[in-house]
Amino acid sequence: MYLHIGKDFVIKKKDIIGIFNIEYIKNTKEYKSMYKSLDEKNNLINVSDKQDKSFILLENNKKIKGYITNIGSNTIGKRKM
């Protein structure tokens, strides 16, 4: 199954490692380190036009990717079920 995360982006549900509320994690050293690493490898995709609300971490073909979206983590979590 697939999950719509904003704009024209869909991801495979089975690839999701975690869905995080950016407000809660944005100041942590783990998030900053992960963000920097993903950005340097061009594996960070921002699909948000507005305020960033969620960070989605996934693994596909042994490759870690991150998505930033303006859809709330609770909303995405409900869609995942």
Side-chain angles (χ1 to χ4, degrees):
M1 294 294 285
Y2 293 91
L3 177 68
H4 179 260
I5 59 167
K7 290 190 180 179
D8 293 331
F9 286 86
V10 292
I11 57 176
K12 292 180 182 178
K13 289 182 180 182
K14 69 179 182 87
D15 293 342
I16 295 174
I17 296 171
I19 302 168
F20 307 93
N21 182 325
I22 286 183
E23 284 298 313
Y24 295 138
I25 66 168
K26 69 180 177 183
N27 294 319
T28 65
K29 64 181 178 183
E30 293 84 4
Y31 173 71
K32 290 176 182 178
S33 173
M34 193 176 350
Y35 183 97
K36 182 180 177 184
S37 175
L38 290 169
D39 193 35
E40 288 172 353
K41 296 175 185 174
N42 292 322
N43 288 334
L44 184 66
I45 299 102
N46 190 332
V47 298
S48 176
D49 287 335
K50 304 173 188 174
Q51 180 183 5
D52 300 341
K53 292 185 178 179
S54 298
F55 176 71
I56 304 167
L57 190 63
L58 57 93
E59 181 179 7
N60 186 324
N61 297 324
K62 298 185 181 182
K63 189 174 186 181
I64 303 292
K65 288 188 177 183
Y67 287 86
I68 297 174
T69 181
N70 62 328
I71 299 172
S73 57
N74 286 335
T75 301
I76 294 171
K78 289 177 186 174
R79 291 179 183 177
K80 189 175 182 290
M81 293 178 183

